[in-house]
Amino acid sequence: MSSYVDFAVLRNVVIVALVAGVGITAVFSVAARALSAAQEGTRPATGQRVLAGACLAVAAAVVAVGLWAVLAK
Amino acid sequence: MHDTTLLVIVVMAALTFDFTNGFHDTANAMATSIATGALKPKAAVALSAVLNLVGAFLSVKVAATIASGIVSSSAISLPIVFAGLLGAIAWNIATWSLGLPSSSSHALIGGVIGATLVSAGHSAVHGHSIVAKVVIPAVLSPIVAGLVAALATRIAYRIADPVGVPGTNRWFRYGQLASAALVSLAHGTNDAQKTMGVITLALIADRRLGANADPPWWVIIACAVAISAGTYLGGWRVVRTMGHRLTHIEPPQGFAAQTSAAAVLLTATQGGLPLSTTHITSGAVLGSGLGKKSAVIRWGVARSMVIAWVLTLPAAGLVAAGLGFIVDDGGTVQIGVVTGCSVVALLAVWLWSRRSPVTAKNVNDYVDPADRAIDDAERPLVEPGHLTGPVAGATGAST
């Protein structure tokens, strides 16, 4: 079986995909919740906006690093 | 047949395949965004087309790898490439007409294998590579993508709680623009290169390029435009299957599915694992259904999809083998007849599909037959004020 599958690569794919896929979704969910928590028609509080901005920045940074890693190869 | 004429026919066939690849795989990136209303259908395919075009120019690293290791390079000739392409196009069109997502790359590989088997025998086909590069990744990729998407969906609902916190769906729809764009870009980077690889292979086989040459600029531009045009046409039947028939998709599920698919796709590309975009995105959509409590998965549709995946390699190979048997010696009459019959067959399938057209306007107008049956059962048999009783009831049900 190991001659057919490179288990080391497969393990890396699973781990990185889990961290990136689940991680980005999780931080984006935090941002979505923070931005939606305010009453309808009012702006979110400053703290919520800062939290959302930080989460979105982390997600964008992970995507940028991922794209760079693929294209640089 | 004169070499130049045959080469032109092969290039045209390759670009046709690239075009079918584009519209067949529109659903990979955009089905969930269209289904959740994050993007209007025409806007979604326009965005995907542009990003596929951009993606096609980003890299040509995998262009020469499409058939490497699968068949002996010495066995490749223009008639084999031609027959392989027609087998792949036939499978793409057949699965599109049935609304089934299936891998264009596997269809192409199956076609090349089938044509090579007929032309050069089984010794020219590398069985170990087929298992390692095609079969095992085909099994593993949807499972991995599904697991990641299921977990991501579960966490998204746990954190964002769209029921308890109104308005989160709106943000997930915005997020879907980015995640869909990422999948489109990855698709353009991967799939356009496969056709570039086939045309380059044909040019090498015809001794117009040296071995290990990169694709010429005109090949890169032509392939980028063909896949982009196909994507813009929109394979609405497959979009409907991925966006509605497999499971009902909500914005957090759509975002989780696309993000997971992009993560698996890009990670696998970086790790050198050749994976099918279709298998990954389909697995992710299924996983997003599994990750949401009380979501309904239509396993009958999933089963049909898996059957199509299993059949892709042998079916495309069988068609290509039959055609390869006819065109193997490169005779003008044979290639002309095969080309003409293929065009007629494509037109026939397209005309047949027009009997129940799925377009940008009606792609979201899907009601599951089971839901319709429930609606019918719950609907009063007769309107108030009308006759009651078995006979009147029967009349009411039929109107």
PDB file of all heavy atoms in Angstrom, chain B residues 50-62:
ATOM      1  N   VAL B  50     -13.677  35.039 -15.091  1.00  0.00           N
ATOM      2  CA  VAL B  50     -12.521  35.951 -15.010  1.00  0.00           C
ATOM      3  C   VAL B  50     -11.404  35.311 -14.182  1.00  0.00           C
ATOM      4  O   VAL B  50     -10.222  35.333 -14.565  1.00  0.00           O
ATOM      5  CB  VAL B  50     -12.946  37.302 -14.392  1.00  0.00           C
ATOM      6  CG1 VAL B  50     -11.728  38.151 -14.057  1.00  0.00           C
ATOM      7  CG2 VAL B  50     -13.859  38.059 -15.358  1.00  0.00           C
ATOM      8  N   LEU B  51     -11.778  34.689 -13.052  1.00  0.00           N
ATOM      9  CA  LEU B  51     -10.753  34.110 -12.174  1.00  0.00           C
ATOM     10  C   LEU B  51     -10.128  32.855 -12.789  1.00  0.00           C
ATOM     11  O   LEU B  51      -8.956  32.561 -12.559  1.00  0.00           O
ATOM     12  CB  LEU B  51     -11.349  33.804 -10.803  1.00  0.00           C
ATOM     13  CG  LEU B  51     -11.621  35.084 -10.015  1.00  0.00           C
ATOM     14  CD1 LEU B  51     -12.554  34.844  -8.856  1.00  0.00           C
ATOM     15  CD2 LEU B  51     -10.316  35.689  -9.517  1.00  0.00           C
ATOM     16  N   ASN B  52     -10.915  32.103 -13.567  1.00  0.00           N
ATOM     17  CA  ASN B  52     -10.338  30.967 -14.290  1.00  0.00           C
ATOM     18  C   ASN B  52      -9.321  31.459 -15.314  1.00  0.00           C
ATOM     19  O   ASN B  52      -8.271  30.847 -15.514  1.00  0.00           O
ATOM     20  CB  ASN B  52     -11.438  30.171 -14.992  1.00  0.00           C
ATOM     21  CG  ASN B  52     -11.952  29.021 -14.146  1.00  0.00           C
ATOM     22  OD1 ASN B  52     -11.320  27.978 -14.050  1.00  0.00           O
ATOM     23  ND2 ASN B  52     -13.079  29.218 -13.498  1.00  0.00           N
ATOM     24  N   LEU B  53      -9.672  32.577 -15.964  1.00  0.00           N
ATOM     25  CA  LEU B  53      -8.763  33.169 -16.961  1.00  0.00           C
ATOM     26  C   LEU B  53      -7.452  33.590 -16.283  1.00  0.00           C
ATOM     27  O   LEU B  53      -6.357  33.268 -16.755  1.00  0.00           O
ATOM     28  CB  LEU B  53      -9.439  34.380 -17.603  1.00  0.00           C
ATOM     29  CG  LEU B  53      -8.734  35.016 -18.791  1.00  0.00           C
ATOM     30  CD1 LEU B  53      -8.843  34.133 -20.023  1.00  0.00           C
ATOM     31  CD2 LEU B  53      -9.312  36.396 -19.104  1.00  0.00           C
ATOM     32  N   VAL B  54      -7.596  34.271 -15.140  1.00  0.00           N
ATOM     33  CA  VAL B  54      -6.405  34.714 -14.401  1.00  0.00           C
ATOM     34  C   VAL B  54      -5.599  33.501 -13.927  1.00  0.00           C
ATOM     35  O   VAL B  54      -4.375  33.433 -14.085  1.00  0.00           O
ATOM     36  CB  VAL B  54      -6.810  35.597 -13.195  1.00  0.00           C
ATOM     37  CG1 VAL B  54      -5.603  35.910 -12.319  1.00  0.00           C
ATOM     38  CG2 VAL B  54      -7.459  36.882 -13.677  1.00  0.00           C
ATOM     39  N   GLY B  55      -6.306  32.515 -13.374  1.00  0.00           N
ATOM     40  CA  GLY B  55      -5.654  31.323 -12.829  1.00  0.00           C
ATOM     41  C   GLY B  55      -4.840  30.583 -13.876  1.00  0.00           C
ATOM     42  O   GLY B  55      -3.769  30.044 -13.588  1.00  0.00           O
ATOM     43  N   ALA B  56      -5.365  30.576 -15.104  1.00  0.00           N
ATOM     44  CA  ALA B  56      -4.668  29.849 -16.177  1.00  0.00           C
ATOM     45  C   ALA B  56      -3.300  30.440 -16.488  1.00  0.00           C
ATOM     46  O   ALA B  56      -2.413  29.744 -16.986  1.00  0.00           O
ATOM     47  CB  ALA B  56      -5.538  29.860 -17.435  1.00  0.00           C
ATOM     48  N   PHE B  57      -3.135  31.727 -16.183  1.00  0.00           N
ATOM     49  CA  PHE B  57      -1.847  32.378 -16.483  1.00  0.00           C
ATOM     50  C   PHE B  57      -0.858  32.315 -15.317  1.00  0.00           C
ATOM     51  O   PHE B  57       0.297  32.680 -15.476  1.00  0.00           O
ATOM     52  CB  PHE B  57      -2.073  33.848 -16.857  1.00  0.00           C
ATOM     53  CG  PHE B  57      -2.668  34.029 -18.220  1.00  0.00           C
ATOM     54  CD1 PHE B  57      -4.009  34.322 -18.376  1.00  0.00           C
ATOM     55  CD2 PHE B  57      -1.895  33.887 -19.363  1.00  0.00           C
ATOM     56  CE1 PHE B  57      -4.569  34.477 -19.640  1.00  0.00           C
ATOM     57  CE2 PHE B  57      -2.442  34.032 -20.629  1.00  0.00           C
ATOM     58  CZ  PHE B  57      -3.786  34.325 -20.765  1.00  0.00           C
ATOM     59  N   LEU B  58      -1.342  31.883 -14.151  1.00  0.00           N
ATOM     60  CA  LEU B  58      -0.491  31.979 -12.961  1.00  0.00           C
ATOM     61  C   LEU B  58       0.688  31.015 -12.966  1.00  0.00           C
ATOM     62  O   LEU B  58       1.739  31.309 -12.423  1.00  0.00           O
ATOM     63  CB  LEU B  58      -1.329  31.762 -11.697  1.00  0.00           C
ATOM     64  CG  LEU B  58      -2.270  32.919 -11.316  1.00  0.00           C
ATOM     65  CD1 LEU B  58      -3.010  32.596 -10.042  1.00  0.00           C
ATOM     66  CD2 LEU B  58      -1.489  34.217 -11.165  1.00  0.00           C
ATOM     67  N   SER B  59       0.483  29.846 -13.548  1.00  0.00           N
ATOM     68  CA  SER B  59       1.553  28.846 -13.494  1.00  0.00           C
ATOM     69  C   SER B  59       1.379  27.832 -14.618  1.00  0.00           C
ATOM     70  O   SER B  59       0.259  27.561 -15.046  1.00  0.00           O
ATOM     71  CB  SER B  59       1.516  28.148 -12.134  1.00  0.00           C
ATOM     72  OG  SER B  59       2.284  26.978 -12.157  1.00  0.00           O
ATOM     73  N   VAL B  60       2.478  27.299 -15.110  1.00  0.00           N
ATOM     74  CA  VAL B  60       2.390  26.218 -16.106  1.00  0.00           C
ATOM     75  C   VAL B  60       3.163  24.992 -15.606  1.00  0.00           C
ATOM     76  O   VAL B  60       3.564  24.139 -16.369  1.00  0.00           O
ATOM     77  CB  VAL B  60       2.934  26.662 -17.490  1.00  0.00           C
ATOM     78  CG1 VAL B  60       2.045  27.691 -18.118  1.00  0.00           C
ATOM     79  CG2 VAL B  60       4.354  27.181 -17.382  1.00  0.00           C
ATOM     80  N   LYS B  61       3.304  24.909 -14.284  1.00  0.00           N
ATOM     81  CA  LYS B  61       4.131  23.840 -13.702  1.00  0.00           C
ATOM     82  C   LYS B  61       3.563  22.448 -13.972  1.00  0.00           C
ATOM     83  O   LYS B  61       4.308  21.500 -14.159  1.00  0.00           O
ATOM     84  CB  LYS B  61       4.247  24.043 -12.192  1.00  0.00           C
ATOM     85  CG  LYS B  61       5.014  25.291 -11.806  1.00  0.00           C
ATOM     86  CD  LYS B  61       6.497  25.082 -11.868  1.00  0.00           C
ATOM     87  CE  LYS B  61       7.216  26.312 -11.373  1.00  0.00           C
ATOM     88  NZ  LYS B  61       8.598  26.345 -11.801  1.00  0.00           N
ATOM     89  N   VAL B  62       2.225  22.323 -13.916  1.00  0.00           N
ATOM     90  CA  VAL B  62       1.672  20.980 -14.057  1.00  0.00           C
ATOM     91  C   VAL B  62       1.209  20.696 -15.477  1.00  0.00           C
ATOM     92  O   VAL B  62       0.619  19.671 -15.749  1.00  0.00           O
ATOM     93  CB  VAL B  62       0.493  20.730 -13.078  1.00  0.00           C
ATOM     94  CG1 VAL B  62       0.926  20.886 -11.657  1.00  0.00           C
ATOM     95  CG2 VAL B  62      -0.689  21.609 -13.414  1.00  0.00           C
TER      96      VAL B  62
END
